[in-house]
Amino acid sequence: MKLSHQLVVGSLAVLVLSACSSSPAQRRQAKNDFAYLETKPLTPWVLPEGAVPQFYPNYTIPEGQFPGKIGRKVDIRPPQQILELIPGARAERQNGEVTLWMIRQDEADRVWQTALTMMEERGIGAVEQSDNRVETSWINWVSEDEDTTLGSRYELTRVEANNRFGFKISLIDWREDGKPMPVTASNKERYNAFMTNLVTSRYDQQVREEATRRAQELVKQIPITMGSDRSGLPVIIARTPYDVLWQRLPTLLPEMGFTIEERNQSQGTIKAKYASPDDQFWNHIGVKPMNLRAGTYTFLFGDLGNRTSVNVTNSAGKPVEEELLKEMAPVLAAIAEK
């Protein structure tokens, strides 16, 4: 693996405040008024002789030295959120460090392997590496809301506590324009989250790729017939789980002559415009053409466990005739087989 690699921070960091101003510094600063910096020091309240003071403690200003940035040095950007893309994982943030906790050992193993894969794909080098710990080489971050190129090094560690299995990300070194700088709490908060999101995004991508491959294999052998739903109404029945069929619908429906306009997996709906294919298509699949008029239709998919029901409504929201569903079933089956 290479010892350094330039990573461009994605839309999560850039788009939130990119339209607020043209200067990177201004994107991190409050706009205009810093008059509060000229506030005169507080003076003791002088009471008339003999007066007994009575104060509400709710508004007592605490005394002491409280280090922190003020004025233009205050970073107003919202905290970077951890993307919850790993099912069942819980993100814990403590002192700027991030730990992803999982219940099962095999899940933690998979996340750990995902992190190593992500590092290799992005050319992130490892200064030290063991079965449970990796110390990365320098990673360069380029962002529209930063004035300079930022560099960071991380420690990735596998941890275990209370019958949970974790993956911990710690920012250990920092530099700006190539110059070593102290690792601040703000650096940890933001760039530990960025690194965590690289891992969770890669995990999500891997899960989706596996689901797509699985769907492509399974959908080729899906028996598609006519049947009825729980209310006894006629529907098309695809003998495969809903999630498997959904993965192939964006390719199946267009081949049948439907142009997809909207789709919602949680609601099980796809809105599409139909235009009948030419005679060559019908001859190719060896199925009688459908007598479906050109227009906009909505497909309704029902999760029946190991099966999926398919119904269709017209632009007025009324179910199409049973005869049209009977014509559509063999077309859908022929497309799935091919």
Side-chain angles (χ1 to χ4, degrees):
M1 292 184 284
K2 300 177 183 177
L3 293 181
S4 65
H5 186 69
Q6 186 178 63
L7 303 179
V8 179
V9 180
S11 59
L12 293 172
V14 174
L15 297 183
V16 175
L17 296 175
S18 60
C20 297
S21 63
S22 59
S23 166
Q26 288 178 328
R27 294 189 186 105
R28 302 192 305 271
Q29 298 170 358
K31 188 176 181 180
N32 297 328
D33 193 5
F34 296 103
Y36 70 88
L37 297 175
E38 302 172 4
T39 303
K40 295 181 179 180
L42 298 177
T43 57
W45 193 353
V46 179
L47 296 171
E49 186 177 352
V52 179
Q54 294 184 358
F55 300 104
Y56 288 101
N58 309 52
Y59 307 102
T60 301
I61 298 176
E63 298 180 359
Q65 296 294 325
F66 302 98
K69 297 180 179 180
I70 60 175
R72 287 180 171 81
K73 295 183 179 180
V74 176
D75 192 338
I76 66 168
R77 292 176 296 178
Q80 181 64 33
Q81 299 298 309
I82 303 296
L83 299 177
E84 297 181 357
L85 299 176
I86 301 178
R90 186 176 68 84
E92 178 181 84
R93 304 177 80 161
Q94 189 172 14
N95 298 325
E97 296 177 339
V98 179
T99 305
L100 294 175
W101 289 106
M102 280 130 305
I103 298 177
R104 301 204 323 256
Q105 175 75 60
D106 60 334
E107 292 175 342
D109 292 343
R110 187 174 183 184
V111 174
W112 178 257
Q113 186 57 50
T114 298
L116 299 180
T117 300
M118 181 275 298
M119 288 178 57
E120 185 173 359
E121 291 175 344
R122 292 179 175 269
I124 301 174
V127 177
E128 295 182 12
Q129 183 170 350
S130 65
D131 291 340
N132 296 311
R133 180 182 176 275
V134 173
E135 184 177 315
T136 75
S137 59
W138 285 101
I139 305 168
N140 289 331
W141 303 87
V142 178
S143 173
E144 290 185 8
D145 52 2
E146 298 286 0
D147 299 293
T148 62
T149 298
L150 306 177
S152 57
R153 292 201 317 115
Y154 294 88
E155 181 185 56
L156 312 181
T157 315
R158 301 183 69 172
V159 293
E160 184 176 347
N162 301 322
N163 294 322
R164 295 183 305 168
F165 305 90
F167 170 74
K168 185 177 181 180
I169 296 178
S170 306
L171 176 62
I172 57 176
D173 278 320
W174 185 258
R175 67 185 182 188
E176 298 178 9
D177 257 352
K179 299 178 181 179
M181 303 287 286
V183 179
T184 65
S186 177
N187 296 153
K188 286 185 176 182
E189 181 79 22
R190 195 164 194 84
Y191 286 89
N192 275 332
F194 279 148
M195 189 63 171
T196 304
N197 286 339
L198 287 181
V199 177
T200 59
S201 297
R202 184 61 184 88
Y203 184 96
D204 181 66
Q205 177 187 345
Q206 179 177 304
V207 170
R208 291 177 180 273
E209 289 172 351
E210 290 177 356
T212 300
R213 286 195 298 269
R214 194 164 54 248
Q216 290 174 345
E217 291 300 320
L218 293 176
V219 79
K220 294 177 181 178
Q221 304 173 4
I222 297 177
I224 297 177
T225 58
M226 283 298 297
S228 57
D229 62 12
R230 295 185 176 95
S231 302
L233 298 175
V235 292
I236 298 173
I237 296 294
R239 300 189 180 278
T240 188
Y242 171 75
D243 290 340
V244 173
L245 181 63
W246 184 268
Q247 294 290 332
R248 280 294 305 278
L249 290 173
T251 57
L252 291 178
L253 294 181
E255 291 186 29
M256 296 172 59
F258 290 94
T259 301
I260 297 176
E261 297 179 338
E262 300 175 12
R263 55 180 178 152
N264 188 313
Q265 184 174 359
S266 61
Q267 296 180 5
T269 60
I270 290 181
K271 184 178 179 181
K273 183 176 293 185
Y274 178 71
S276 181
D278 55 25
D279 292 340
Q280 183 179 357
F281 166 80
W282 300 110
N283 293 331
H284 176 66
I285 65 172
V287 177
K288 180 181 177 182
M290 299 185 295
N291 292 316
L292 190 66
R293 294 181 180 178
T296 301
Y297 296 86
T298 299
F299 287 79
L300 310 173
F301 301 92
D303 189 348
L304 305 179
N306 62 347
R307 298 174 301 154
T308 305
S309 64
V310 184
N311 206 345
V312 184
T313 61
N314 58 25
S315 57
K318 296 181 179 180
V320 300
E321 295 83 358
E322 181 178 358
E323 191 61 33
L324 287 175
L325 287 179
K326 290 181 178 179
E327 293 178 0
M328 189 178 297
V331 178
L332 186 59
I335 293 296
E337 289 178 4
K338 291 184 178 299

